[in-house]
Every structure is written in C-alpha cells, then in structure tokens.
Amino acid sequence: MASPAERYAAARRRTEESRTELAAFTATVGFDLDPFQVQACRALEAGRGVLVAAPTGAGKTVVGEFAVHLALRTGRKAFYTTPIKALSNQKYAELVERHGPGAVGLLTGDNSVNGEAPVVVMTTEVLRNMLYAGSPLLDGLGYVVMDEVHYLADRFRGAVWEEVIIHLPREVLLASLSATVSNAEEFGAWLGTVRGDTEVVVSEHRPVPLWQHLMVGTRLYDLFTDPAGDPLEGDEGSLVPGAVVNPELVAMSRQQLRVDRLAGAPGRGRRRGAPAPRSTSRTASRQGARPGGLAGPSGRAVPRPASRAQVLEVLDAGGLLPAITFIFSRAGCDAAVAQCVAWGLRLTTPEEGRRVRALAEERCADIPSSDLAVLGYWEWLDGLERGLAAHHAGMLPVFKETVEHLFAAGLVKAVFATETLALGVNMPARSVVLERLVKWNGQTHVDVTPGEYTQLTGRAGRRGIDVEGHAVVLWGQGTDPEQVAGLASRRTFPLRSSFRPTYNMAVNLVEQVGRGQARDILETSFAQFQADRAVVGQAQRIRVQQEALEGYRRSMTCHLGDFGEYFALRQQLGQREKELSRVGAAQRRAEAARSIEKLRTGDVVRLPSPRRAAFGVVLDLVEGKGFDPPSPRLLTQDRQVRTVSAHDFPGAVEPIATVRVPRDFNHRSPQARRDLASTLRNKLAETGGGDVPRRRTGGPAEEDPQLVQLRERLRAHPCHGCAEREEHARWAVREEKLRRDTEALARSVEGRTGTIARTFDRVCDLLAELGYLDADGTRVSDAGRVLRGINAETDLLVAQCLRHGAWAGLGPADLAAAVSTLVHESRREEAGRAERVPHRAEAAVAATVRLWSDLTDREDAHRVPQTREPDAGIAWAVHRWASGDRLDAVLRDADLAAGDFVRRCKQLTDLLDQVRAAADDPQVRRAAREAVEAVHRGVVAHTSLT
C-alpha cells in the first residue's frame, strides 16, 4: 500500500498532467493513447523534436495531429508534409473535418487552397521549394510534420526530405513519422545533430495482431503452429514462445522436392492423388480440395493453386474480407478484376451495389461522357458494383481516389494493387494476400525482402475494427514455408540515404550562403553521417591492424641484418620469375600455334600426355573460335579421334613421321579408324616405337640478366645465412598481407570522408564551365538564377535548352511535345517502340538531344551522375492532346494507359509553367503559357480533393 506521501505525489502529478495540452488533445480524440504516442507527444510539448518509428496502422499520425494541435493552441503555424499528392489530399480532408476549412490549407502541384492558413498540408517538394525561395509563408512556422519520412531512401526523390530537414529554421520543431526501420537510433542521432534535441520513439507492437498463413489450393494453413502442429493461441503466431513453422507445410515442401528429383524436371512435379491434408488454420475454410495435384506427405495431394476468384471466395467464407491482393504488375491487377467478373463473383449486396454506383457517378460527373468508354469507365464501374477494383499508377486519378473512398467505406471488398499502395494512401484491410514473393525491380526479378514483406503485410488489420489481421501467401511453384517464415519473422528495413547534390540544389545553396558554407551544410547530410559512421569502424580496425603490424615487424627482426630488405629481394625475385614464366608460356603457345598451322594431313605427332608417350595422325585442322588458333583433329594409336587445342601443347609441334590417309577416310567409321590406327602403329614401330626425345629449350629465365642479378644480391645479403631465416620469412609474409589490407582500408576511409562535398565541388565546377556560376564557382550568374527556378529531374538540360534557343519559335502544341521528352520515361514494356515526333517539333527535339549529348560528355569528364536521355515516347500524343484532339483518339494512337497519360500531362504542365517563368524569350513565355492551358483540360484538369 502506498504511503501518504506517495499518494500525495501521485495526485499532484495527475493534476499537473490534466492541465497539459496533451490532456486537452486526448480528450478530443475519443480513445486512450498508446504508450509510444504519449511518449512522443510529451516530447513535442516539452519542446523537443521526435522521430516515431512504428508499424503501419499503429497510429503514428496521432503524433502529427498533436503537433497541429500545439500550433493552433500556441498561435503558430504547422506544415504537414506527405510524399504524394493523394496522401496530401486525404490528410487535408481529415484535418478540415477536425479543425474546419478556415484553419486548414492545401498546397500541391495541382491544388492551392487557403495557402496562408495556420495549418497547411503539402507535398515535401512544395516545402523544399518554399525554403529555397524564402517564401513569406514560412513566417511564424512552429511545427513541421514529415509523414512517411522513410521516403528519404527513395533514389529518385529521397534527397528532398534531407534538404528540408537540413534547411528548416532551427527553431522549428520536427515530428518525423516513419515505418519500422532497423536503424531508427542512427537516423535519430543524425536528426539530433542537425535539428537539436530529438527524442527517438520506437514501437514494434502492432495494435492489431497479425497472423500469417499459406493458402494451399483452397485451404488456409497457419504458417506457425505449436510443435505438434496444432493452432496457436495468443498474440501474433511468429511471436508466440515455442512457435514453429507448420510441420505439415514443411512436409509438403519436402515431398515436392522429392517428386521433382524423381521426375527429373526443373519445375514442380505433379501426380494425381488423394484428398489434401487436413488444414490447421484457425480460420480455414472446410471446403474440399479440387482433384489433381502433387503428392504430399503420406501420399496425400497438394492441390493445384486456386484461381483469384476462388481465393476471394475462401476469404469471404472465412470472414477475412476486405482484402488487398498485391500483384507486382499493373496489367495483372486489371486482369485479376476481369477474371473475377468473368467467374461471376459478387461480394456486395444489391443495396451496396446501388450505393457504389451512385457515389462513382457523382465523383466522375465532370469527366466528359465522350471520354468514358476509352477510360474503361463501364468495366471499372461493373467491377466496383461487385465489390472489386484495381489500384495502380496507370489508373485515372479520380478512379483511384474513388476506389480508396469506397474501400475505406467498406463498399469495395477486394482490391488488386501494385506495391505502390503499400507506400502511400491509408487503405487498411482485414487481410493482405501476396500472390508471389518475387518482383521486378526495373532491371531484374528479385525476391521480396523482409522489409518489403513487412511493409506490404502491414496493411492487414484495421485498428478499432478488426480483432486480428491476416497475411496470406499463395502456395505456388517453388514455395518454401521456411523462407516465408523468415520473411514474416525478420523486420529488417534499414534506412539508407539516397542524397546527392543536384544542379538546382547547388545554385540555390551558392546563392543563399556561398560555396564554402554550402559545402559545410552538405557535410551535415544523413548520407555523409552514415558514411562517417562506417568510417569510424574502419578507422578503429586500421588502428588495431597497425598495432598488429608492429608486432609482426618485431617478430621478423634478424640479428644479422635488415630482414625487411632481404624479404623485399625475395619478393622481387619471385615476381620476376612469375613474369618470365608468363613470357615463356606465351612464347611456347605462340610456337605451338605457328607449328600447328604448318601441319598436314598424315603427319604423325606426339600428343601432350603427363603419363605415357602418346601419338596421333593428323586428320585435319579445326578452325578456332574468334581469335583462337586452329586445333588438329587426330586419330590416336588406340583408335580414338581427338581434337587437341593448341593451348594443350607445351611447345612447337613437330611431325616425327608421315602416313598415308585415304582420301575417302571417314573418322566415324570403326573399320576406317581401325585400319588407320594399325598403319600408325606400324609406322611408330619402324621409327623405334616413336621414342623421340622431347626438345628442351632454355627458357627466358636462364638468360635474364635481371634475374641473375637478383639471385646474386639475395645470396650476398647477410640475412641469407640466418638459421631462423624461414621463420622470419613467415612473419614477413603475414606482415606484407596485413599491410596491404590496412592500406586498402585507409584508401576506403579517404574515399568515404567528404564524399558529398567532393560531389558538390564537381557539380559546381561543371556549372562554372557552363556559365551558371562565375569562373571560380563562387557566385551565381544570371543563367544560374534561371536554373534556380527549375525544379525537375532534368533541371540543367532544361536550362541549357532555354539558353541555346532549342525551343524558340515553337507554337504551344509543338513546345508541349518538345518539353514532354524531358518528363517522360518509357516503361520496360514500352521500350523499343517507334517514337513519332510532330514535324514542326523535330528540329527542337533534335536540338534537345544534341544538348543532352554534350551535357553527358561534360558530366563524364567531371565524374558526376549523367542526366537521363530525352524520351519522345509521348511527344505525338501530347501534341495531339494540346491541339484539341479527343482523348480516345490520343490514347489509341499512343497505346498509353489513361492514368499514365494524365500523370505525365500534369508533370508536363508543371514543367511548362517553370519554363514560362524562366524563359527570357517573350515568344517562348507566351507559347509555354498557352501550352499549359492547352494541356490542362478535360480529364487532365479534373482533380478531386477528397
């Protein structure tokens, strides 16, 4: 029982806590906060920045919303940044509902709503541009929330997150929200160095337990069971003490391997069999397996994989919908919906179907009716009414947003999505299905990593709705339950910086703080922080090895003289002998090749053989491949036909006799081989059994004066007569090996130290060479100020095109076509298609490519990353769209997905607007303004905020 003093202290503490902003905020959210949320919110209220790393769905955004609450209560501003526009739109809607439209604004590339509000939601790029421009909207900023901050690992856009973190005013408190990463402490330590006091809050706990399953045929199996194979009770299966991989699944996998080996097939063998083994799943459907499959344990069968519609039927029967099925292909997602519709699958009630249709029609009302068919609207609507939808980047934005809204409302029950959904919009489900554990990474097929598996399956389990979430992997060819268990058990997702200085970043930093201070700022990046941390470990290893080297040198000390000098002579002698040996071998190969070319049919030669003398008669010469010399085809005295490579002969090949080979000799005829072999043996008997002495020639080593001199110096050295010479030599060998390793480590340390600053210097040198900085690279020129306003992946190439008049004289549609080459990047399946360029834009596109070629040559010379090549893949489609053509004609002619075309057009209008602002030529400015208006119409202009 507590003492009176303790009870008094507790009461006083409760009173103080009830007066905090956290208490006021908690009273408005309607639920008790988790410990990690309380810890993070207290740190913010105490004036410290926070890094929150927690699983998807754990409630990290509560911390961001508390930062917004603090800003509003203290009269300061809060910026809430997200990585993608769709997430910004979603968060804007949530904050408007909570705080009212007057208090919340939105700034993305597409929308600007109430930008001077005390709370503004924006994409991270918008905030970065505001920082470089010194926007007055930054006045009074007190808090910045960086949602999905782990995006800084993205190799294309990640640098933006680091730029914002580094350049934000020091007095602004930063709330960084991240997925579970394995190096959160390292990231937090870096935040502490650049932002000041930062508390790291890590939570591994999922508020909704996640159960792992494998679906074999149409049955669900728990991935983890107790050792007897019985279902587990309690928290997540992989975390229950004593959990093992389901023995039945392991047995099935081993039986598959045995059948494969017996069948001798590279894939998975199949055999007609009896019923499938019993299911141990806590939620398994008791439906019977389809006949046919692969023999499982004790002769039972592993059913064939279920169809996509069957998978959803099983999940529906088990009460496991709504579900997200991840398919690593856009076409696969669309095909999955079509397959389920063709199967006749319907997951909604008639009333739900009517609600879906009404909401979809309302959201798409602004799309011209003439465009609906080409957009696939009717097929999309049919799937929606059945509770089915795809979700990927190739879809029209309004279609995707409608799917997100209907899924969140529980009206769409099954979504087939690409992995981009796992990294963006908040769409939790009861179950997540993975069809395969292999994906295409843009270059090759690779296995899903534990971090990616955690990210994908993290959407299973809706807080406040589901008691538990379910991750389902479909059993397929090559499925290994042990591998799946490893993915499910290891939550390793290290955060690695992708930061590198860009041209736009360089001119902005030089203009604002000067080149010297800019170098110092870049040295504070997370990329350099990680490199320096790695250097610390290497430097420690160098110190340890240097101490060991001193010990080795003491052990090799000789009382007769300098053993290091003597060992160096031995090394030189050995090296020279190797060099001469290589020269001699090359000479012998050359002699062999020359002599083989002189051989004629019927020549008898000695064959290379380590054990006994062997001879053969030349039948013909076989042409070598590439630059290889010809090889003689011979018949040996034991009737074998062999083709001997010139490289196998130790030296020149000289005939020792000649026999007659019949003109019609066929080496495939046993009788012909037998007769010729007999003739060969008789000829060898006439020459004394072929006992011809090998010609021995003195090698280069016997005549080399440098080798003779080294041997004389070695014998004359005092240490040559030491009784412990070989013991000293063994220590010298160890010393030499360790010294080389230490020198390599030192070079690695030197290469890592200051890497970001060196890259920045090379970028500045290139900019100075091109005239964007002055001759010594310390001041920004007028051309450089134009580059400051261009925020694009191809920023310097855009600036070069403007400076050199590549786009001068173009009309709006032609300018849009030419500029589209700098925003489009063909997907893998589009590569190789013929590119069509409008006639009046051909010269401009050609000039753009020439400037790109010159730029990449200079980039190579300065050792900076190359600007990607212009891509005219959508130039013709953009030209037609900007000329007023109908959407169906444009998409059909370009063979483009509607969503891809719309997204590229939005990127194009953004870049055209930058061209309008940056161009000196009035005609280019006017054409760019008119091009923006021409492209930004119809479905391109239609953007929803909710």
Side-chain angles (χ1 to χ4, degrees):
M1 184 175 178
S3 67
E6 291 172 333
R7 290 197 299 272
Y8 173 75
R12 184 172 180 177
R13 190 165 52 250
R14 285 193 299 270
T15 301
E16 290 174 352
E17 288 177 354
S18 67
R19 296 170 180 165
T20 62
E21 289 298 337
L22 178 57
F25 173 75
T26 304
T28 66
V29 296
F31 56 85
D32 293 333
L33 300 188
D34 288 340
F36 85 91
Q37 295 169 326
V38 172
Q39 180 186 352
C41 291
R42 283 177 175 167
L44 280 175
E45 188 168 4
R48 299 190 297 276
V50 292
L51 166 64
V52 183
T56 301
K60 297 184 291 289
T61 55
V62 167
V63 180
E65 289 167 5
F66 180 64
V68 170
H69 169 89
L70 285 175
L72 292 172
R73 293 293 288 262
T74 57
R76 288 179 287 177
K77 289 183 179 179
F79 288 171
Y80 198 113
T81 71
T82 73
I84 55 178
K85 295 173 184 176
L87 198 54
S88 292
N89 293 341
Q90 188 177 64
K91 181 53 65 174
Y92 168 75
E94 293 173 3
L95 291 176
V96 164
E97 185 177 354
R98 183 178 178 87
H99 300 290
V104 184
L106 175 69
L107 293 175
T108 67
D110 299 332
N111 298 294
S112 177
V113 179
N114 198 17
E116 297 186 358
V119 178
V120 184
V121 183
M122 63 187 69
T123 51
T124 315
E125 280 85 353
V126 170
L127 178 53
R128 176 263 218 161
N129 296 343
M130 290 169 63
L131 288 167
Y132 279 145
S135 171
L137 295 179
L138 295 168
D139 295 341
L141 182 62
Y143 298 88
V144 167
V145 180
M146 300 196 79
D147 204 353
E148 310 281 354
V149 73
H150 52 270
Y151 255 77
L152 68 77
D154 184 271
R155 65 192 181 102
F156 297 113
R157 299 171 56 212
V160 175
W161 275 256
E162 289 191 49
E163 288 180 84
V164 168
I165 292 170
I166 292 170
H167 296 309
L168 272 175
R170 188 83 172 194
E171 66 272 11
V172 175
L173 284 184
L174 190 64
S176 305
L177 313 181
S178 169
T180 305
V181 293
S182 53
N183 60 335
E185 289 76 12
E186 179 188 42
F187 185 44
W190 172 69
L191 286 171
T193 63
V194 295
R195 303 296 317 158
D197 192 5
T198 300
E199 186 159 337
V200 179
V201 181
V202 178
S203 174
E204 293 279 357
H205 175 70
R206 283 181 51 93
V208 179
L210 179 65
W211 289 86
Q212 308 282 345
H213 308 279
L214 271 173
M215 181 177 284
V216 185
T218 55
R219 288 180 180 268
L220 275 178
Y221 291 82
D222 285 340
L223 179 58
F224 297 99
T225 67
D226 66 16
D230 294 324
L232 296 166
E233 298 297 335
D235 208 330
E236 300 181 44
S238 62
L239 306 180
V240 175
V244 299
V245 179
N246 191 328
E248 286 200 75
L249 295 174
V250 174
M252 272 188 257
S253 176
R254 290 173 180 167
Q255 181 65 16
Q256 279 190 331
L257 292 174
R258 283 195 291 272
V259 171
D260 287 345
R261 285 195 293 268
L262 290 173
R268 298 296 181 195
R270 291 188 177 183
R271 180 163 69 83
R272 301 280 172 186
R278 68 186 179 90
S279 168
T280 57
S281 174
R282 305 157 75 247
T283 54
S285 165
R286 300 303 177 192
Q287 300 174 19
R290 292 171 64 88
L294 179 69
S298 305
R300 292 176 293 184
V302 178
R304 294 189 178 112
S307 69
R308 286 159 171 163
Q310 286 177 302
V311 170
L312 292 180
E313 287 176 342
V314 171
L315 296 179
D316 192 22
L320 301 184
L321 295 181
I324 298 172
T325 300
F326 284 107
I327 302 174
F328 302 117
S329 158
R330 297 181 185 182
C333 293
D334 294 333
V337 175
Q339 289 162 13
C340 292
V341 170
W343 182 273
L345 184 64
R346 182 177 292 276
L347 301 174
T348 55
T349 65
E351 173 57 28
E352 287 175 330
R354 285 190 289 273
R355 290 174 59 195
V356 166
R357 173 176 281 272
L359 196 145
E361 289 177 344
E362 176 188 340
R363 285 176 162 261
C364 299
D366 292 338
I367 300 177
S369 57
S370 58
D371 292 339
L372 293 178
V374 70
L375 294 173
Y377 171 81
W378 303 111
E379 295 84 356
W380 171 74
L381 184 60
D382 185 26
L384 283 184
E385 289 183 292
R386 295 168 177 268
L388 305 165
H391 188 286
H392 56 75
M395 294 174 62
L396 201 65
V398 67
F399 284 10
K400 280 200 302 181
E401 293 165 9
T402 303
V403 169
E404 292 159 11
H405 182 83
L406 292 172
F407 191 79
L411 295 173
V412 166
K413 318 289 185 177
V415 167
F416 297 94
T418 56
E419 64 177 317
T420 53
L421 184 146
L423 300 172
V425 181
N426 180 27
M427 279 179 62
R430 180 166 295 165
S431 302
V432 163
V433 180
L434 275 70
E435 286 197 346
R436 301 178 65 204
L437 296 177
V438 175
K439 67 169 190 170
W440 176 262
N441 68 355
Q443 297 174 324
T444 185
H445 286 94
V446 297
D447 291 335
V448 171
T449 66
E452 289 166 338
Y453 183 90
T454 300
Q455 194 84 22
L456 293 167
T457 59
R459 294 206 169 270
R462 298 163 297 176
R463 186 169 190 174
I465 300 174
D466 299 321
V467 176
E468 56 193 25
H470 298 269
V472 180
V473 175
L474 303 188
W475 185 288
Q477 187 177 28
T479 299
D480 179 0
E482 300 277 2
Q483 178 199 9
V484 180
L487 291 173
S489 302
R490 287 180 292 141
R491 295 174 182 176
T492 54
F493 178 47
L495 199 58
R496 294 283 177 259
S497 172
S498 60
F499 182 85
R500 66 174 180 85
T502 65
Y503 301 116
N504 174 271
M505 183 193 306
V507 291
N508 272 295
L509 285 173
V510 172
E511 178 78 355
Q512 287 186 333
V513 299
R515 182 165 174 174
Q517 191 176 342
R519 284 180 101 259
D520 295 339
I521 290 173
L522 293 178
E523 287 284 329
T524 66
S525 68
F526 187 43
Q528 191 61 57
F529 183 83
Q530 287 189 309
D532 291 344
R533 279 208 158 189
V535 163
V536 170
Q538 288 184 322
Q540 177 64 24
R541 186 176 160 196
I542 289 173
R543 285 193 293 272
V544 171
Q545 290 184 183
Q546 286 172 337
E547 293 173 4
L549 283 171
E550 290 301 318
Y552 288 174
R553 288 170 188 144
R554 287 192 296 270
S555 297
M556 61 185 266
T557 302
C558 178
H559 66 288
L560 295 178
D562 184 349
F563 197 85
E565 182 182 77
Y566 176 76
F567 184 73
L569 282 173
R570 282 178 60 150
Q571 294 287 90
Q572 292 173 38
L573 181 63
Q575 187 64 34
R576 185 60 181 168
E577 288 175 338
K578 289 178 182 177
E579 289 175 5
L580 294 173
S581 176
R582 286 193 293 269
V583 170
Q587 289 177 349
R588 289 191 294 274
R589 285 195 299 271
E591 289 175 2
R594 285 195 298 270
S595 63
I596 285 172
E597 290 176 352
K598 298 176 182 178
L599 292 177
R600 297 292 179 263
T601 300
D603 286 344
V604 178
V605 298
R606 189 183 191 116
L607 301 180
S609 175
R611 291 188 295 275
R612 63 181 179 87
F615 298 88
V617 57
V618 176
L619 302 178
D620 58 11
L621 296 182
V622 179
E623 286 297 322
K625 294 181 179 179
F627 295 102
D628 290 342
S631 301
R633 180 162 29 215
L634 308 109
L635 177 73
T636 67
Q637 66 259 48
D638 54 2
R639 297 178 295 184
Q640 292 185 349
V641 176
R642 293 172 53 191
T643 300
V644 184
S645 169
H647 300 305
D648 293 333
F649 288 99
V653 184
E654 297 179 357
I656 61 173
T658 303
V659 299
R660 181 179 174 277
V661 178
R663 186 181 299 276
D664 58 351
F665 178 78
N666 180 3
H667 68 267
R668 293 186 175 85
S669 167
Q671 182 62 46
R673 290 199 307 270
R674 193 160 39 243
D675 293 344
L676 185 58
S678 177
T679 303
L680 172 61
R681 287 193 295 271
N682 291 335
K683 176 60 72 173
L684 291 172
E686 292 175 9
T687 59
D691 188 14
V692 180
R694 296 178 188 268
R695 188 180 67 158
R696 296 185 179 276
T697 58
E702 296 183 17
E703 305 169 356
D704 183 63
Q706 184 180 346
L707 191 65
V708 173
Q709 183 187 33
L710 285 169
R711 285 172 176 164
E712 290 175 353
R713 290 176 60 192
L714 190 72
R715 294 190 192 101
H717 197 283
C719 293
H720 192 66
C722 179
E724 298 180 343
R725 182 184 67 195
E726 295 309 311
E727 177 67 18
H728 295 329
R730 281 191 287 273
W731 283 109
V733 169
R734 294 171 189 164
E735 189 274 344
E736 193 244 358
K737 183 177 182 299
L738 187 61
R739 176 168 46 80
R740 289 189 179 187
D741 183 39
T742 305
E743 288 171 353
L745 275 175
R747 287 193 296 273
S748 175
V749 167
E750 184 180 356
R752 287 188 174 213
T753 304
T755 51
I756 302 298
R758 283 199 298 275
T759 302
F760 174 72
D761 285 337
R762 292 195 287 267
V763 166
C764 287
D765 290 344
L766 174 56
L767 290 172
E769 179 182 301
L770 290 172
Y772 292 91
L773 298 176
D774 64 5
D776 59 2
T778 57
R779 288 185 297 277
V780 178
S781 66
D782 290 340
R785 293 185 182 91
V786 171
L787 178 57
R788 284 192 69 194
I790 302 172
N791 298 295
E793 184 186 351
T794 53
D795 47 9
L796 184 54
L797 182 54
V798 173
Q800 285 286 86
C801 288
L802 290 174
R803 283 183 73 192
H804 292 275
W807 302 330
L810 294 177
D814 295 312
L815 179 62
V819 175
S820 76
T821 63
L822 302 186
V823 299
H824 182 62
E825 190 169 6
S826 295
R827 290 167 53 81
R828 176 172 57 103
E829 56 268 30
E830 298 166 355
R833 290 180 184 169
E835 296 175 346
R836 186 176 177 186
V837 178
H839 176 69
R840 288 190 299 273
E842 284 179 349
V845 172
T848 302
V849 173
R850 283 196 300 273
L851 288 168
W852 166 81
S853 180
D854 175 73
L855 176 58
T856 53
D857 288 343
R858 295 173 187 267
E859 288 171 329
D860 276 343
H862 286 273
R863 292 182 295 131
V864 299
Q866 283 194 355
T867 300
R868 68 170 176 81
E869 185 176 2
D871 187 333
I874 62 170
W876 180 249
V878 164
H879 184 272
R880 293 193 62 184
W881 178 251
S883 299
D885 283 7
R886 287 167 52 99
L887 181 65
D888 56 351
V890 171
L891 295 182
R892 185 168 53 250
D893 190 55
D895 194 20
L896 279 172
D900 287 333
F901 179 71
V902 170
R903 189 173 67 257
R904 292 300 190 205
C905 283
K906 287 181 179 293
Q907 293 169 343
L908 175 60
T909 55
D910 179 59
L911 184 54
L912 283 168
D913 197 46
Q914 295 181 46
V915 168
R916 176 198 58 75
D920 291 330
D921 185 337
Q923 187 274 330
V924 173
R925 287 202 303 270
R926 182 172 61 256
R929 184 180 66 253
E930 293 174 2
V932 170
E933 296 170 356
V935 174
H936 195 69
R937 66 180 180 89
V939 293
V940 176
H942 179 76
T943 304
S944 165
L945 292 184
T946 58

